[in-house]
Amino acid sequence: MKIEQISLYHISMPLVESFETSFGVEEERECLIVAIHSDGGSGWGEIPVSRAPGYSYETTGTAWHISQDFIVPALLDADIDSPEDIRGLLKSIKGHPIAKAGYQAAVWDLLAKMNNLSLQEMFGGSGESVKVGVSVGLQESPEALVERVGRYLEAGYSRIKLKIAPGRDTDEVNAVCAAYPDLMLQVDANSAYRLDSAESIRALDEFGLLLIEQPLAEDDIADHARLQPDLKTDLCLDESIHSPDHARWALDIDACRVINIKPARVGGFSEAIQIHDHCLELEVPVWCGGMLETGIGRAGNLALASLSNFKLPGDISATERYYQEDIVDKNFVLNSDSSIDVPQEPGIGVEVLEEKILDISIRRDSFRSEVQHNIGFGL
Ligand code: OSB
Ligand code: MG
């Protein structure tokens, strides 16, 4: 299959409510959407970056640059038989795993559709639905947080993740635990603490949390390895894991006992499956994280989360938790057992609403290779 054309869209979607974390507040979700066109059809992928480099150094700006100047030229006119080929073609481009993952995702979608298989079948997953939870942003006060959590429980979520930050941690967790003692609860610090200022992380050890996600810096697997032995609670790494190698290194030095797999953060679904398989072998549970993806990215995350070692509920919530209107034809809805159905149609399993994408595009471009046909150069 030859890659004939690549379309790139920078879109902006209003979130149903603002999402505050230790690195900032988001009201509008900006990301890039990729379409890869070949004679066999089109495949769609998402690059779930943000406008600002709060969670990752990759932003809509860096992803556009690395796409336009390096990724797209490397892929146009390439002959592709498998998503692995994309990895080979992009090997010489350093870093930028989230950008690369969008192209790999589009190729997975395209190849799956050509083979009439769902992504779940392509990945080797199983089951009709996957267990999910919800990630709750920082709130004004512990009381407001208890109220917000209560509404998510009413909506049917059985696992709650609280965002924490220095000074907005123990009182908040205490209040939620007092209000809902049997809740499956975990917290996510998004790298906001340092080893020498992690007293509240140690204090959180008394609450019987499912896990504590990324308390220390992204580039500090070593200090996570110092912290983990002092805690009963499992540490889980998110930002620190950018590749299968990072997962292996982190587990080699016992920096965590759980891994949050976000296929985009680790460079693509192939890398995500590799990490899953490595963890399965070591009996380390994994779960599927999220980055406020649109329906395009979330469809793939659902398929991935149906692999057997995704033992904990994913951050893959219903469409209405994120967006009033999505860019795919179906909304993901929460089932009564706190699960969401895995799409079963070919490829990502949902139809992309291209008109809608055009409506909300801030910038778009379409690339074709300019092949210099042999026309004799005028001789
Ligand atoms: O750290 O897991 C995170 C959202 C954007 C970037 C990073 C994170 C998150 C979330 C929300 O926690 C997950 C989701 O529901 O998509
Ligand atoms: Mg996280």
Side-chain angles (χ1 to χ4, degrees):
M1 182 255 328
K2 189 168 145 194
I3 297 182
E4 288 170 352
Q5 187 175 342
I6 297 178
S7 305
L8 194 57
Y9 308 85
H10 173 175
I11 61 168
S12 177
M13 285 166 67
L15 287 162
V16 290
E17 61 184 66
S18 63
F19 187 61
E20 183 175 359
T21 61
S22 62
F23 57 80
V25 188
E26 265 186 296
E27 314 260 353
E28 295 266 331
R29 182 65 179 157
E30 288 189 28
C31 68
L32 304 190
I33 300 294
V34 174
I36 289 185
H37 308 284
S38 82
D39 49 1
S42 298
W44 292 87
E46 176 166 347
I47 302 179
V49 283
S50 293
R51 198 190 53 75
Y55 169 76
S56 163
Y57 68 82
E58 292 191 73
T59 65
T60 44
T62 69
W64 192 281
H65 154 63
I66 209 77
S67 292
Q68 174 173 278
D69 293 345
F70 299 101
I71 296 179
V72 169
L75 297 184
L76 278 177
D77 272 352
D79 250 315
I80 307 269
D81 295 317
S82 94
E84 298 296 320
D85 296 341
I86 290 281
R87 289 215 273 178
L89 289 161
L90 303 183
K91 208 169 54 195
S92 64
I93 302 170
K94 245 189 184 172
H96 303 275
I98 307 181
K100 289 174 182 168
Y103 294 84
Q104 200 196 98
V107 167
W108 275 103
D109 180 38
L110 179 53
L111 292 172
K113 283 172 179 155
M114 285 167 70
N115 290 301
N116 207 28
L117 294 171
S118 65
L119 281 190
Q120 182 181 45
E121 290 169 301
M122 294 282 280
F123 295 160
S126 62
E128 277 174 21
S129 65
V130 296
K131 295 280 186 189
V132 302
V134 63
S135 173
V136 186
L138 292 166
Q139 305 289 316
E140 296 267 291
S141 63
E143 297 71 40
L145 179 62
V146 167
E147 197 265 333
R148 192 70 200 86
V149 168
R151 279 192 281 139
Y152 281 129
L153 294 177
E154 264 165 44
Y157 292 101
S158 63
R159 189 281 273 154
I160 300 285
K161 167 168 128 179
L162 305 180
K163 290 292 186 178
I164 56 166
R168 301 167 83 179
D169 39 35
T170 43
D171 289 351
E172 281 72 5
V173 172
N174 198 19
V176 171
C177 285
Y180 312 107
D182 300 326
L183 183 57
M184 285 206 284
L185 189 66
Q186 61 193 58
V187 296
D188 185 0
N190 285 112
S191 309
Y193 300 80
R194 295 294 170 266
L195 191 58
D196 60 8
S197 62
E199 307 82 44
S200 31
I201 297 298
R202 294 177 204 278
L204 291 176
D205 202 25
E206 302 310 316
F207 290 99
L209 301 172
L210 286 178
L211 57 87
I212 298 174
E213 185 176 342
Q214 195 73 39
L216 311 179
E218 164 175 339
D219 55 1
D220 213 343
I221 293 180
D223 274 352
H224 282 99
R226 290 207 174 85
L227 182 59
Q228 177 67 93
D230 294 349
L231 301 173
K232 293 172 284 197
T233 315
D234 292 344
L235 289 184
C236 167
L237 291 179
D238 173 356
E239 284 93 321
S240 292
I241 310 298
H242 297 287
S243 68
D245 277 336
H246 285 97
R248 190 168 53 77
W249 294 328
L251 294 171
D252 268 358
I253 62 168
D254 299 318
C256 64
R257 300 189 196 125
V258 179
I259 289 187
N260 165 334
I261 300 184
K262 295 179 181 173
R265 193 198 64 230
V266 300
F269 290 121
S270 301
E271 288 80 354
I273 294 167
Q274 242 179 291
I275 296 174
H276 165 273
D277 293 350
H278 180 63
C279 290
L280 180 63
E281 222 167 90
L282 299 181
E283 295 180 33
V284 170
V286 304
W287 58 286
C288 185
M291 295 191 267
L292 310 175
E293 282 89 347
T294 73
I296 295 176
R298 208 125 27 84
N301 288 356
L302 284 163
L304 181 74
S306 74
L307 271 68
S308 65
N309 195 38
F310 281 85
K311 291 271 164 57
L312 295 158
D315 272 351
I316 317 172
S317 308
T319 304
E320 65 172 15
R321 178 255 174 271
Y322 307 98
Y323 305 109
Q324 211 102 52
E325 277 181 71
D326 206 342
I327 52 174
V328 298
D329 67 335
K330 265 184 249 140
N331 278 354
F332 296 111
V333 293
L334 191 69
N335 301 322
S336 57
D337 63 347
S338 194
S339 72
I340 295 184
D341 291 349
V342 178
Q344 299 296 328
E345 301 295 311
I348 58 172
V350 287
E351 288 298 321
V352 174
L353 305 174
E354 209 171 338
E355 287 299 314
K356 176 89 186 139
I357 292 181
L358 288 172
D359 277 354
I360 58 171
S361 287
I362 297 174
R363 185 180 184 189
R364 65 190 161 94
D365 211 339
S366 211
F367 307 90
R368 270 178 171 281
S369 77
E370 314 234 340
V371 181
Q372 182 67 59
H373 293 290
N374 188 351
I375 50 168
F377 298 100
L379 293 174

